[in-house]
């Protein structure tokens, strides 16, 4: 998922996109800034939703690629919720047989690991090119490799190495998306109500998951290859609109820069001062010295960024949070398919569609976490509350989700809300806050580096979670849920120091007096 800031050299803004030549009425002054801000939000939202839609097919087809062997293993694992074996047919080599779930986990790892590596490096390449072109290439490349994976069905392909190769390159192209969409939004919007705005906008991940699940599930009956072809063509189709109409910078179509106040708090973190050297000391005594690079922006060292206040805490918190979120992303349809609900095993199609409830909860979770954090002005406190509440919710979902469809849907919804809330908050508003904090005020490259650390570390966790689930699931799903709960516990514990710092800061500012009264009593 995710560098939050990319900047071009001053006075090097790209020309208007070609769609403005086809429709001159879209340019200023015929259309105002508000119109173009909405257009940018719509295009970036749709673009990243298409990215996530194209990631869903592997999770939807997992139960088809394996066979009845996994059900037999689960039935002998003394797991009371999987005593009724599911007949999955003959499966698809090389994912059938006892090692099928292991290889599916390794396939997820190949995608997510290349995605994490791309997150650390490809964002810096985007600094030197037109983000519209870069995003278009990432979308088109992702679509091509998603389609190639689906063609394995029609070509009767059974080479595990070829599938891994496809996923490796698909992950690299997918990693080109997040740096671009968030950087473009940062060019057009300031910091006001950042938590709420980013929470609403970041729902594109859950919306994309829902679309991908529905599309991939709806065509399973025609062969699992179609579950890849349709999302692949969808992202290529959307990339055409991005190429034609996405405006990266307001200046490209005649609008001025943001006001000084907006620039100071910009998500992009544009430099505020014109000095050649900035030297700032934080509360912990760490001195960060940064100099302008050739493009006119301020650079910060990778290790210096790690030493900034709370960066390491949030980075490792996101590691465990994203581990949980992506385990659900890649294995929830498979889990639903292999778990009897009211004594009945759902079909592949119904299991895939039902899994969208988790993502619907995630939409509300991201929005509510951002809104609450804006109200109480405490990102860490909000994240910790969501994380700790998700633990009993996951326990209840595992214990009682199989009683009926109603309980399954309800507990799955709240699980998605509580699991995705802090994950969404940290990848957007928290990363932006840390990259523009007072200790590095004026450093235009700090935000890119800080968010590379946070989101790159989180992506490593995202790669590890599905892999572990593939191996642990053969021991029974109780073991998988135990892993998820332990991960959430670690994520919450990593934020305790940050939460303490936030609470002390609020009390010193004369806020949260009610909290001080409660603690004194």
């Amino acid at each position: 998922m995710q560098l939050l800031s990319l900047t071009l050299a001053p006075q090097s803004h790209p020309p208007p996109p070609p769609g403005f030549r086809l429709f001159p009425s879209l340019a200023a002054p015929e259309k105002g800034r508000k119109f173009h801000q909405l257009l940018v939000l719509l295009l970036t939202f749709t673009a990243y939703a298409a990215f996530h839609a194209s990631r869903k097919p592997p999770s939807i087809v997992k139960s088809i690629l394996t066979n009845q062997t996994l059900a037999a293993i689960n039935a002998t694992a003394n797991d009371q919720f999987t005593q009724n074996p599911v007949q999955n047919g003959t499966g698809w080599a090389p994912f059938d047989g006892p090692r099928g779930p292991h290889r599916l986990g390794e396939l997820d790892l190949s995608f997510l690991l290349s995605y994490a590596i791309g997150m650390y490096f490809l964002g810096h390449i985007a600094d030197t090119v037109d983000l519209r072109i870069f995003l278009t290439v990432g979308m088109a490349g992702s679509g091509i490799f998603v389609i190639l994976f689906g063609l394995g069905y029609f070509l009767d392909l059974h080479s595990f190495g070829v599938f891994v190769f496809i996923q490796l390159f698909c992950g690299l192209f997918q990693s080109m998306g997040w740096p671009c969409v968030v950087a473009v939004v940062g060019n057009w919007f300031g910091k006001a109500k950042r938590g709420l705005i980013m929470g609403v906008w970041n729902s594109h991940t859950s919306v994309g998951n829902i679309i991908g699940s529905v599309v991939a599930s709806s065509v399973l009956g025609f062969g699992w290859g179609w579950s890849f072809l349709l999302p692949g063509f969808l992202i290529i189709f959307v990339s055409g609109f991005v190429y034609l109409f996405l405006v990266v910078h307001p200046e490209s179509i005649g609008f001025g820069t943001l006001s000084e106040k907006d620039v100071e708090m910009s998500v992009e973190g544009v430099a505020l001062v014109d000095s050649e050297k900035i030297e700032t000391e934080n509360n912990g005594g760490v001195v960060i010295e940064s100099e302008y690079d050739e493009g006119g922006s301020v650079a910060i060292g990778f290790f210096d960024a790690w030493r900034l206040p709370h960066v390491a805490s949030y980075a490792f918190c996101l590691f465990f949070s994203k581990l949980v979120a992506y385990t659900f992303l890649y294995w929830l349809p498979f889990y639903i398919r292999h778990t009897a609900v009211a004594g009945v095993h759902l079909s592949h199609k119904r299991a895939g569609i039902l899994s969208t409830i988790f993502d619907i909860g995630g939409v509300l979770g991201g929005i509510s976490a951002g809104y609450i954090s804006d109200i109480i002005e405490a990102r860490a406190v909000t994240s910790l509350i969501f994380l700790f509440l998700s633990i009993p919710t996951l326990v209840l979902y595992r214990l009682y989700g199989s009683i009926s469809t109603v309980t399954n849907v309800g507990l799955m919804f709240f699980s998605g809300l509580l699991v995705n809330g802090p994950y969404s908050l940290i990848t957007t508003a928290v990363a932006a806050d840390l990259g523009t904090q007072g200790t590095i005020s004026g450093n235009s490259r700090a935000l890119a580096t800080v968010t590379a650390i946070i989101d790159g570390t989180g992506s490593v966790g995202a790669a590890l979670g599905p892999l572990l689930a593939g191996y642990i699931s053969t021991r029974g799903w109780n073991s998988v849920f135990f892993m998820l709960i332990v991960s959430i516990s670690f994520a919450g514990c990593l934020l305790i120091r940050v939460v303490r710092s936030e609470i002390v800061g609020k009390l010193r500012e004369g806020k949260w007096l009610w909290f001080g009264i409660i603690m004194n009593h």
Side-chain angles (χ1 to χ4, degrees):
M1 223 168 131
Q2 304 165 327
L3 300 177
L4 206 57
S5 175
L6 298 168
T7 56
L8 296 174
Q11 309 302 326
S12 62
H13 302 304
F20 282 59
R21 293 194 294 270
L22 299 175
F23 301 94
S25 60
L26 292 177
E30 283 78 5
K31 301 294 183 182
R33 180 185 287 268
K34 291 293 184 183
F35 171 83
H36 286 284
Q37 285 179 323
L38 291 174
L39 181 61
V40 164
L41 284 178
L42 177 62
L43 286 174
T44 53
F45 184 99
T46 305
Y48 210 69
F51 271 113
H52 263 259
S54 67
R55 297 180 195 176
K56 283 299 293 185
S59 68
I60 298 299
V61 304
K62 272 185 170 69
S63 57
I64 290 182
L65 297 181
T66 57
N67 60 14
Q68 70 274 11
T69 306
L70 178 62
I73 293 173
N74 283 338
T76 60
N78 195 25
D79 192 334
Q80 60 175 323
F81 294 100
T82 54
Q83 293 296 321
N84 185 13
V86 183
Q87 298 301 318
N88 293 329
T90 59
W92 187 273
F95 305 108
D96 56 350
R99 284 189 49 81
H102 299 171
R103 287 189 168 179
L104 289 172
E106 292 163 0
L107 197 66
D108 294 338
L109 177 67
S110 64
F111 172 87
L112 293 167
L113 193 59
S114 67
Y115 179 88
I117 294 173
M119 283 302 309
Y120 276 113
F121 298 107
L122 290 181
H124 297 289
I125 297 176
D127 283 338
T128 62
V129 299
D130 186 344
L131 293 181
R132 177 178 57 87
I133 303 298
F134 198 70
L135 178 59
T136 302
V137 171
M139 297 178 71
S142 298
I144 290 172
F145 279 97
V146 170
I147 291 172
L148 286 177
F149 196 105
L151 289 177
Y153 169 79
F154 300 98
L155 299 177
D156 198 28
L157 179 66
H158 297 278
S159 171
F160 181 65
V162 172
F163 285 120
V164 168
F165 176 84
I166 292 173
Q167 287 295 80
L168 284 171
F169 277 90
C170 187
L172 287 175
F173 278 102
Q174 286 267 334
S175 68
M176 298 168 67
W178 184 254
C180 298
V181 296
V182 185
V184 172
V185 171
N187 291 336
W188 283 89
F189 295 89
K191 184 181 177 181
K193 298 182 179 179
R194 175 181 286 168
L196 177 61
I197 291 175
M198 291 303 239
V200 173
W201 178 76
N202 198 51
S203 65
H204 49 44
T205 58
S206 296
V207 171
N209 292 339
I210 294 170
I211 294 174
S213 297
V214 172
V215 171
S217 300
S218 64
V219 294
L220 272 178
F222 302 101
W224 64 261
W226 287 103
S227 297
F228 287 84
L229 263 59
L230 264 62
F233 283 120
L234 173 64
I235 191 173
I236 293 176
F237 176 75
V238 175
S239 71
F241 287 92
V242 170
Y243 175 78
L244 289 173
F245 299 109
L246 182 64
V247 180
V248 175
H249 292 274
E251 296 85 347
S252 298
I253 54 175
F255 292 110
T257 58
L258 297 171
S259 66
E260 182 177 350
K261 179 179 179 181
D262 286 336
V263 170
E264 181 179 359
M265 297 186 295
S266 170
V267 173
E268 188 182 6
V270 178
L272 306 182
V273 295
D274 297 327
S275 62
E276 295 181 356
K277 191 171 185 178
I278 298 174
E279 183 173 319
T280 312
E281 184 172 351
N282 65 30
N283 295 331
V286 177
V287 178
I288 304 299
E289 295 184 358
S290 307
E291 296 183 1
Y292 282 104
D293 60 15
E294 295 179 356
S297 60
V298 184
I300 185 174
F302 181 81
F303 294 103
D304 286 334
W306 271 104
R307 296 160 61 198
L308 291 172
H310 309 319
V311 168
S313 296
Y314 275 114
F316 288 111
C317 174
L318 188 62
F319 174 93
F320 290 104
S321 297
K322 213 166 180 180
L323 184 154
V324 176
Y326 270 66
T327 299
F328 276 102
L329 174 66
Y330 280 88
W331 285 93
L332 183 58
F334 186 88
Y335 168 73
I336 295 174
R337 168 63 176 152
H338 289 81
T339 304
V341 179
V344 178
H345 285 281
L346 303 179
S347 65
H348 300 293
K349 179 177 179 180
R350 289 193 63 189
I353 294 176
L354 186 63
S355 68
T356 61
I357 301 298
F358 183 88
D359 296 300
I360 294 174
V363 173
L364 183 60
I367 295 173
S368 58
Y371 178 74
I372 293 172
S373 70
D374 281 341
I375 295 297
I376 67 176
E377 299 178 350
R379 313 287 194 205
V381 172
T382 303
S383 299
L384 187 66
I385 292 173
F386 273 68
L387 287 169
F388 282 168
L389 287 178
S390 66
I391 293 176
T393 305
L394 290 183
V395 172
L396 291 174
Y397 178 59
R398 176 58 189 150
L399 293 177
Y400 302 108
S402 61
I403 292 178
S404 68
T405 303
V406 174
T407 59
N408 190 288
V409 168
L411 292 171
M412 193 192 312
F413 174 85
F414 283 107
S415 297
L417 186 152
L418 295 169
V419 168
N420 285 346
Y423 156 52
S424 173
L425 186 63
I426 293 172
T427 55
T428 53
V430 167
D433 290 345
L434 294 176
T436 55
Q437 57 185 301
T439 36
I440 48 174
S441 180
N443 191 328
S444 66
R445 286 297 182 94
L447 183 52
T449 306
V450 167
T451 52
I453 290 172
I454 293 176
D455 297 325
T457 305
S459 296
V460 175
L464 183 61
L467 174 68
L468 292 176
Y471 280 86
I472 298 175
S473 63
T474 57
R475 297 174 173 237
W477 289 104
N478 287 338
S479 300
V480 176
F481 273 79
F482 179 76
M483 176 197 74
L484 299 178
I485 291 170
V486 170
S487 298
I488 291 174
S489 300
F490 278 127
C493 291
L494 287 165
L495 288 184
I496 290 178
R497 290 184 61 187
V498 187
V499 168
R500 180 182 177 184
S501 176
E502 283 186 345
I503 293 175
V504 171
K506 295 302 177 184
L507 293 177
R508 287 177 178 174
E509 295 171 5
K511 301 178 181 179
W512 289 18
L513 295 178
W514 55 269
F515 184 84
I517 294 173
I518 293 174
M519 294 302 294
N520 290 333
H521 285 79

